[in-house]
Amino acid sequence: MAFSGALTLSDLNDFISPSQACIKPVEVAKTSDTQGSIKVDNTGSYYEVSQDGSETKLETATIKSVLVTMQSHEELYSILKQNAIARETNDPSTHRTVVVSISPQTRASFAAKYNQTPLQVARKMTWFFKNLGVHSVFDTSFSRDLSLLETGREFVARYKKAVEKGSIKAPNLDGSASTGPKGDGDMDVDEYTPKAPRKRIIRRGAAGVADEPAVPVEVESAMPMLASTCPGWICYAEKTHGYMLPYISETKSPQQIMGSLVKNHFGSQLGLNPDQIYHVCVMPCYDKKLEASRSDFYSDIYSTRDVDCVITSTEVEKMFGEQGQIGMDAFGELDLDLGYNSVVKDPVTGADQVLVGASGNASGGFLEYVMQYAAKELFGVNGVDVDQAVGVEVKTVRNADFREVTLEVPGSGEVLLKFAAAYGFRNIQNLVRKVKTGKSPYHFVEVMACPSGCINGGGQLKPVGDNYATVPLKDWIMQVDQQYRNGVLARKPEENPVLEQLYMEWLGGIDTPKSREQLRTGYHAVEQNLINPLAVKW
């Protein structure tokens, strides 16, 4: 079992090739006051690099926990066996409705390895799980729409509050003094023509920053707002940098919003209590098991979690072998369940089902969507497309895992919004230093623990035969990234016709107490007295 917290969190030598660079625990035999660094080779082995350059191989840590045992595919087998016994003995009291929710990154991983389209993978995995005894199979692209919408709304609210409190300066749109952000229509959309695509790469050295006290902030106006979908990043902040917590978005991740949907909305439709449903999420990352296990996502009333079990892409592939299947070629296909699957009728081919989802990168597209949403809501600017660098300037800074995206007033150079994406712990550390001292130039940052983001999560499949020499990992990541978008129709979250209905029927509207309960969460600083960060236990 692999989790991110066991790696050193300073001077980290994380480079882009191995996805396990930030998610595999290791044990260190000795403790030293001198901090070295961690190197990961192409086989996924870990080495401690000392000051003199010598390398010591680190052993994989053993995690013994009832909690971890519950977060395994073996537990899913146990529930399915229990259901079979319940049917044989005609005892409905022990029967649980089993729901599996699959991430789009997992679909892409299987599509790349088995030369399938993402839709074929979705249909084949639906067939596989239902043949095991699972009742419903859903797609977390659906809950991602809710997560994106809530994140956009949260950012706009924070931005306005920050301007009101004077913690950030409102942009000057017309050359006169500006007292606050502009609402819809304050900039004439007809007069605003998005800039032609332009991308620029800037190389900068990592400047050292002195250890200064953290700048005090309030959650409602803390800027920059930092994305909250990566549990590795959240654990890192909670355990080592508690002062960062007010900056983190309170919107739940797509996984946990799907947990709220399945256990509460879907359950109520079936007349079931949350504890009568067993919910499994298939994810690209082992750290998602930790996220599902957080006390914030546990119901004391029903003694159940929103997500009972998380299994990774690699664990699902292991299940194939355990069920006598080699690959996916022999699998049948079943239509995707209606309700919480992002599918529509293909407007071109007329096919009954085609995948749809928000555009943006393979980590969920939070930077792209929030920029687009905020540009419209705050300044009346339409036509922004971060993927195509339309209406914004996109720069790669330092390395491929750190990007800046800037929205400016046309012709004046006045910055309206400045966003960034920081992937991998080295980039995260640079970001943390600037945020801590109030020197960050950004309004929003998409933060991911893994280099290359979720598409490169440690639970993802590897090239066929694990032949890294034949398929370099960088090339493999690119293949999976291409499959993430393959055959998926782009649709803005607000164009999802089911969401408005959910807000009204399930949550009682937007920004209601129930919507905050089901779609938002909180974070908790953890006091540490450990000298050696490698000894951190999750």
Side-chain angles (χ1 to χ4, degrees):
M1 196 67 65
F3 298 99
S4 64
L7 285 182
T8 177
L9 301 178
S10 62
D11 298 323
L12 202 81
N13 183 20
D14 71 61
F15 56 97
I16 194 156
S17 54
S19 60
Q20 287 85 358
C22 52
I23 52 104
K24 194 167 186 175
V26 289
E27 291 179 339
V28 181
K30 62 183 188 314
T31 300
S32 171
D33 292 334
T34 302
Q35 180 72 48
S37 62
I38 300 297
K39 187 180 84 172
V40 192
D41 67 13
N42 284 338
T43 68
S45 298
Y46 286 73
Y47 297 84
E48 182 179 17
V49 183
S50 64
Q51 295 288 332
D52 62 7
S54 61
E55 299 178 359
T56 304
K57 188 172 182 179
L58 302 174
E59 298 301 321
T60 302
T62 300
I63 300 175
K64 296 180 179 179
S65 167
V66 174
L67 200 59
V68 171
T69 301
M70 293 174 65
Q71 294 287 338
S72 73
H73 68 284
E74 296 292 342
E75 185 65 15
L76 171 58
Y77 285 150
S78 176
I79 296 296
L80 294 172
K81 182 178 180 179
Q82 176 182 299
N83 280 352
I85 295 173
R87 289 192 296 270
E88 291 171 1
T89 59
N90 196 27
D91 181 10
S93 66
T94 60
H95 184 273
R96 298 171 75 180
T97 296
V98 181
V99 176
V100 171
S101 299
I102 301 173
S103 71
Q105 292 87 0
T106 292
R107 280 194 325 234
S109 194
F110 278 96
K113 183 161 186 177
Y114 292 104
N115 195 29
Q116 306 280 315
T117 68
L119 179 60
Q120 286 176 315
V121 170
R123 292 171 62 91
K124 286 174 180 283
M125 292 187 83
T126 299
W127 177 89
F128 174 76
F129 280 115
K130 288 197 171 182
N131 271 270
L132 288 180
V134 169
H135 299 88
S136 298
V137 180
F138 296 135
D139 166 24
T140 62
S141 293
F142 181 88
S143 56
R144 182 180 60 182
D145 281 352
L146 265 174
S147 188
L148 288 168
L149 266 175
E150 282 295 308
T151 303
R153 291 186 177 119
E154 182 185 2
F155 174 80
V156 167
R158 281 206 198 194
Y159 181 94
K160 290 180 177 179
K161 184 63 70 172
V163 170
E164 177 186 318
K165 288 180 171 291
S167 56
I168 62 172
K169 182 181 178 182
N172 187 345
L173 298 177
D174 57 6
S176 61
S178 177
T179 58
K182 304 293 182 179
D184 285 348
D186 284 321
M187 176 180 285
D188 189 340
V189 177
D190 292 334
E191 293 178 4
Y192 177 79
T193 303
K195 299 176 185 178
R198 57 176 176 142
K199 296 187 179 182
R200 189 152 55 100
I201 296 179
I202 296 178
R203 303 294 181 192
R204 298 176 184 166
V209 178
D211 187 17
E212 302 177 29
V215 174
V217 294
E218 296 180 1
V219 173
E220 62 178 6
S221 59
M223 285 280 166
M225 191 172 91
L226 308 175
S228 59
T229 59
C230 173
W233 146 243
I234 297 299
C235 286
Y236 169 58
E238 288 185 323
K239 289 181 176 291
T240 64
H241 297 297
Y243 55 82
M244 295 294 293
L245 302 186
Y247 297 95
I248 301 175
S249 166
E250 294 182 329
T251 300
K252 289 182 182 179
S253 70
Q255 172 181 292
Q256 293 309 132
I257 287 183
M258 182 59 85
S260 297
L261 278 168
V262 168
K263 285 296 183 85
N264 295 282
H265 184 259
F266 182 65
S268 65
Q269 288 183 320
L270 298 179
L272 299 175
N273 291 327
D275 58 338
Q276 294 175 294
I277 297 176
Y278 188 78
H279 184 206
V280 180
C281 281
V282 183
M283 289 285 145
C285 171
Y286 284 100
D287 281 352
K288 285 292 184 180
K289 297 173 185 283
L290 294 174
E291 181 181 26
S293 301
R294 291 174 68 91
S295 60
D296 307 85
F297 307 131
Y298 182 83
S299 169
D300 291 320
I301 297 174
Y302 293 102
S303 300
T304 188
R305 301 185 185 280
D306 294 340
V307 178
D308 296 285
C309 178
V310 173
I311 55 179
T312 62
S313 308
T314 53
E315 288 173 294
V316 171
E317 187 177 48
K318 183 179 180 180
M319 291 174 69
F320 291 173
E322 291 170 347
Q323 299 301 315
Q325 303 287 346
I326 300 177
M328 304 184 78
D329 291 340
F331 284 14
E333 294 187 21
L334 286 177
D335 284 346
L336 277 61
D337 292 320
L338 300 179
Y340 305 123
N341 272 309
S342 293
V343 291
V344 296
K345 188 178 182 68
D346 194 320
V348 177
T349 66
D352 288 338
Q353 292 189 331
V354 62
L355 296 172
V356 293
S359 60
N361 66 45
S363 291
F366 282 81
L367 181 153
E368 290 87 345
Y369 180 74
V370 175
M371 172 63 83
Q372 170 191 298
Y373 182 87
K376 179 181 178 182
E377 293 296 316
L378 292 171
F379 309 113
V381 177
N382 288 312
V384 169
D385 187 332
V386 176
D387 270 350
Q388 301 300 318
V390 174
V392 291
E393 183 176 26
V394 180
K395 302 176 185 178
T396 299
V397 182
R398 299 190 192 93
N399 53 63
D401 278 325
F402 197 101
R403 293 185 301 145
E404 290 182 348
V405 180
T406 307
L407 175 72
E408 298 178 353
V409 176
S412 74
E414 179 80 15
V415 173
L416 298 178
L417 294 170
K418 192 177 186 70
F419 286 16
Y423 293 176
F425 276 116
R426 175 173 290 176
N427 287 325
I428 290 174
Q429 286 177 304
N430 290 330
L431 169 71
V432 165
R433 293 189 188 106
K434 290 187 176 182
V435 173
K436 177 182 180 181
T437 57
K439 297 177 181 177
S440 170
Y442 308 115
H443 296 102
F444 178 86
V445 185
E446 182 180 279
V447 187
M448 295 287 162
C450 288
S452 298
C454 295
I455 203 71
N456 188 36
Q460 292 284 72
L461 306 184
K462 303 302 178 285
V464 177
D466 290 340
N467 191 342
Y468 296 100
T470 303
V471 185
L473 247 154
K474 285 186 179 180
D475 294 342
W476 175 248
I477 293 169
M478 187 177 298
Q479 291 178 33
V480 179
D481 186 75
Q482 290 171 347
Q483 286 286 17
Y484 180 83
R485 297 168 172 79
N486 181 22
V488 180
L489 296 179
R491 180 182 67 185
K492 297 177 182 178
E494 57 265 33
E495 295 171 351
N496 185 334
V498 182
L499 294 195
E500 183 177 357
Q501 179 182 346
L502 279 174
Y503 270 109
M504 300 312 297
E505 294 183 1
W506 176 40
L507 303 173
I510 296 169
D511 200 25
T512 62
K514 187 172 183 180
S515 72
R516 292 192 61 83
E517 174 191 350
Q518 297 295 336
L519 305 179
R520 303 288 179 96
T521 186
Y523 312 102
H524 322 284
V526 179
E527 292 185 6
Q528 291 285 346
N529 294 311
L530 298 172
I531 296 174
N532 179 13
L534 290 172
V536 173
K537 294 183 180 180
W538 296 89

